[in-house]
């Protein structure tokens, strides 16, 4: 268990900067998730921490020691791969024992430690099986046990859940998170799945095009996204393009005058979460009220998405909770949308 | 469909799949049986016959040809030379081929196909041409000797042609591509992430190779080893052309006996060569698989 410091790390491949000037500080016992679309640099960052990729510049410190140029086998990092990468010619026990053997743990202590690690992931009864005789979920847990058995300073998870089916994924998320808390392990996970990131992380790092866009808790990212990319990638947003004409007054391309938080005048983008927009009756007061017509409707089960045309240039997605007592509008219905001035986020281009 | 119709239908299916399997396997089987097994049986029968200089082959049922082979140091000497050369060539092919195959399998370059063609290039050259090449390199007035003399490192030309060393070098050059190609295709099938997993668990490159790469590449290593060993044991042109008249291996010996019209003894030497090759290959196979099956 240790603190991980990534200090101004850059990785260039020729002209391309896979990771551009990344700085991160992961506290002891913290679960940090690197989130972003494919090619954003999150995996390269993880591989630099693991030691498979050497940074072009910058330093990586583990527990205060500079490990920037240390080969992977000299870093005490447990790694779980997307494909699990279990050794197909070794049994579950032998897979888990591999890290102990490399650390010259006495043979007499080995079975006990292996059994302990397998018990942690509730697979101690399958030690004699070969990986191909296990289900995907079981293989994933063996990979986890193999990475934990030698008490790594840091646990690195590279999209560990993306090969599991949706139902199992939800269980394993909780399982990994509880295990990580129990062991107090500093953990860095890479994922492109925002739901996974939000459920598991203490803190999240949103990356795109090699750069860190924002670091923060779920609440920070969702309520105060730093830029348009984060507002779009974490949760959903409606984006309305336009200009701030005067403090607190935004005029959209389609000509809607929208009351918003104060900001400097100039061209801007207004971001609005679909579930923060309400459908109101004609008499109710609100900072912003706009008439529109429902053009499209998706029934999602727990919620209903309405696509409401406000002007020729603007169509908003509005998410309503699906309640039996209130009849949802239908396609073609006229509705009134309302939101308060502080609901929308303003981004300047 | 009625219940009675079902079994009949299954019979038809079974017959159809048997027929299609038969058509797939049949031609090759017939070819091998007619072209290899039948002549082998005839040859084995010949090896039990007797040779008389005037009457050539005489019908008999005797093992005296085999006794002659194993009791004459001249022939057992040739046998051991052949074994030694084949074994040395195989070991050299493994040692030289493994790193080459690994690099070839793991390279990301778009010139990969060209690299593979380069590996196979020695096989494009015919035996006689290749031997001529070795002569210009190793002969007493060859490139190496002239260079060494000019540099003042030697006074007399070194005898490099017509030595066992020349034969071994020649066979390695021919066999290496087989080893490299076999290994390369197997290593390409080993997930790169397995190597990384081993590294992350604390294995250095040596331990990773020993514990992960080699066991997983074993099928290819075995196939490549068997292939190069068989080719080495049965080498004909290279020992004749690079070994000269005094250097003897089994391949040329077999052919020589047939040239002398001594079919019974030629058949005997052929069978000794084949049996030894088969026995050693099978033994190595069993030993290696037992060692790694855990």
């Amino acid at each position: 268990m240790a603190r991980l410091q990534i200090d101004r790390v850059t990785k260039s491949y020729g002209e391309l900067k896979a990771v551009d000037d990344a700085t991160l500080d992961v506290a002891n016992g913290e679960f940090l998730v690197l989130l972003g679309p494919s090619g954003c640099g999150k995996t390269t960052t993880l591989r630099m921490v693991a030691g498979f990729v050497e940074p072009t510049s910058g330093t990586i410190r583990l527990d205060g020691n500079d490990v920037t140029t240390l080969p992977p086998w000299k870093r005490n990092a447990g790694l779980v791969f997307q494909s699990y990468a279990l050794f197909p010619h070794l049994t579950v026990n032998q897979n888990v024992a591999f890290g102990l053997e490399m650390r010259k743990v006495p043979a007499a202590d080995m079975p006990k430690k292996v059994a302990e690690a397998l018990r942690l992931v509730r697979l101690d009864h399958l030690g004699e099986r070969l990986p191909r005789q296990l289900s995907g979920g079981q293989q994933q847990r063996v990979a986890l046990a193999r990475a934990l058995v030698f008490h790594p300073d840091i646990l690195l998870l590279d999209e560990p859940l993306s090969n599991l089916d949706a139902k199992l994924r939800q269980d394993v998320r909780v399982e990994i998170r509880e295990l990580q808390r129990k062991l107090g392990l500093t953990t860095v996970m890479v994922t492109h799945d925002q739901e996974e990131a939000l459920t598991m992380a203490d803190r999240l790092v949103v990356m795109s095009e090699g750069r860190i866009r924002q670091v923060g808790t779920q609440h920070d990212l969702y309520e105060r996204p730093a830029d348009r990319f984060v507002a779009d990638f974490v949760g959903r947003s409606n984006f309305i393009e336009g200009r701030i004409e005067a403090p607190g007054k935004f005029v959209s391309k389609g000509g809607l005058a929208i009351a918003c938080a104060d900001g400097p005048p100039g061209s801007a983008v207004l971001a609005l979460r679909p579930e923060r927009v309400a459908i109101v009756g004609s008499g109710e007061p609100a900072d912003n009220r706009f008439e529109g017509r429902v053009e499209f409707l998706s029934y999602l089960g727990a919620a209903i998405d309405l696509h409401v045309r406000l002007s020729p240039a603007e169509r908003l997605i509005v998410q309503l909770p699906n309640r039996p007592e209130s009849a949802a509008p239908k396609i073609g219905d006229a509705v009134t949308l309302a939101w308060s001035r502080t609901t929308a986020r303003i981004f300047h281009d | 469909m009625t219940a009675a119709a079902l079994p009949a239908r299954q019979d038809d299916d079974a017959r159809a799949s048997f027929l299609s399997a038969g058509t797939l396997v049949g031609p090759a089987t017939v070819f091998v049986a007619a072209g290899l097994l039948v002549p082998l049986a005839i040859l084995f029968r010949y090896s039990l016959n007797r040779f008389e200089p005037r009457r050539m082959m005489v019908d008999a049922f005797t093992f005296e040809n085999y006794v002659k082979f194993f009791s004459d140091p001249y022939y057992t000497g040739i046998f051991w030379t052949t074994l030694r050369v084949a074994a040395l060539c195989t070991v050299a092919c493994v040692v030289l081929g493994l790193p080459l195959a690994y690099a070839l399998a793991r390279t990301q370059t778009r010139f990969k196909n060209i690299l593979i063609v380069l590996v196979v290039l020695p096989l494009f050259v015919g035996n006689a041409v290749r031997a001529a090449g070795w002569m210009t390199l190793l002969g007493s007035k060859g490139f190496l000797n002239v260079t060494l003399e000019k540099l003042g490192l030697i006074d007399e030309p070194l005898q490099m042609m017509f030595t066992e060393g020349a034969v071994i070098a020649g066979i390695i050059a021919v066999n290496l591509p087989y080893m490299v190609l076999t290994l390369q295709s197997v290593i390409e099938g080993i997930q790169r992430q397995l190597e990384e997993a081993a590294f992350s668990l604390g294995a250095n490159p040596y331990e990773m190779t020993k514990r992960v790469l080699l066991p997983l590449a074993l099928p290819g290593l075995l196939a490549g080893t068997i292939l190069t060993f068989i080719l080495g044991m049965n080498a004909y042109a290279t020992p004749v052309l690079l070994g000269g008249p005094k250097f003897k291996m089994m391949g040329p010996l077999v052919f020589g006996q047939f040239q002398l019209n001594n079919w019974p003894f030629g058949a005997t030497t052929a069978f000794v060569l084949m049996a030894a090759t088969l026995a050693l290959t099978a033994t190595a196979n069993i030993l290696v698989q037992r060692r790694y099956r855990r």
Side-chain angles (χ1 to χ4, degrees), chain A residues 260-286:
Chain A
C260 65
D262 291 348
S267 85
V269 175
L270 192 133
L272 204 51
R273 298 283 186 199
E275 78 283 6
R276 299 282 164 87
V277 179
I279 290 191
V280 293
S282 51
E284 292 173 48

Side-chain angles (χ1 to χ4, degrees), chain B residues 213-225:
Chain B
L213 196 63
L214 279 183
L216 289 176
L218 198 64
L221 196 59
L222 264 183
T225 307

Side-chain angles (χ1 to χ4, degrees), chain B residues 70-103:
Chain B
F70 284 108
S71 57
D72 188 334
Y74 174 74
Y75 296 119
T76 51
I78 294 174
F79 180 73
W80 290 119
T81 304
T82 307
L83 266 188
R84 186 173 62 239
V85 169
L88 283 173
C89 289
T90 306
V91 170
C93 281
V94 172
V95 173
L96 296 173
L98 201 56
L100 191 56
Y102 181 81

Side-chain angles (χ1 to χ4, degrees), chain B residues 171-255:
Chain B
I171 295 178
I172 291 173
V174 182
N175 288 5
L176 195 54
Y178 293 98
M179 179 65 91
V180 171
L181 289 188
T182 331
L183 278 176
Q184 180 242 342
S185 68
V186 174
I187 293 173
E188 248 170 38
I190 300 172
Q191 262 188 71
R192 184 76 217 240
Q193 290 203 325
L194 292 177
E195 294 174 33
E196 291 183 345
F199 289 144
S200 81
L201 293 169
N204 61 32
Y206 166 74
E207 284 161 328
M208 186 283 291
T209 307
K210 194 178 96 182
R211 294 292 310 276
V212 177
L213 196 63
L214 279 183
L216 289 176
L218 198 64
L221 196 59
L222 264 183
T225 307
I226 288 170
L227 205 57
T228 51
F229 183 72
I230 291 175
L231 287 171
M233 285 290 280
N234 293 288
Y236 177 79
T238 312
V240 168
L241 294 169
L242 297 185
K246 283 187 202 146
F247 183 80
K248 295 277 187 230
M249 274 176 71
M250 289 295 281
L253 175 70
V254 172
F255 186 66

Side-chain angles (χ1 to χ4, degrees), chain A residues 47 52 73 77 81 83 85-89 98-99 101-104 146 150, chain B residues 191 193-194 196-205 207 211-212 215-216 294:
Chain A
R47 291 174 64 78
F52 296 129
W73 54 92
F81 293 87
S83 64
L86 296 178
F87 304 127
H89 58 302
F98 194 93
E101 282 174 42
M102 293 305 135
R103 284 167 178 74
K104 308 273 184 286
R146 186 177 68 172
F150 52 84
Chain B
Q191 262 188 71
Q193 290 203 325
L194 292 177
E196 291 183 345
F199 289 144
S200 81
L201 293 169
N204 61 32
E207 284 161 328
R211 294 292 310 276
V212 177
L216 289 176
R294 291 186 297 159

Side-chain angles (χ1 to χ4, degrees), chain B residues 30-75:
Chain B
V30 169
F31 182 76
V32 170
L36 187 69
L37 294 180
V38 173
L40 270 182
I42 296 171
L43 205 60
F44 182 67
R45 180 64 192 87
Y46 283 179
S47 76
L48 303 178
N49 285 342
R50 196 169 282 141
F51 179 75
E52 285 174 19
R54 262 189 237 152
R55 296 167 58 201
M56 303 291 187
M57 188 156 67
V58 178
D59 261 357
F61 198 85
T62 168
F63 285 96
E64 63 185 33
N65 288 316
Y66 290 92
V67 174
K68 174 182 162 195
F69 183 92
F70 284 108
S71 57
D72 188 334
Y74 174 74
Y75 296 119

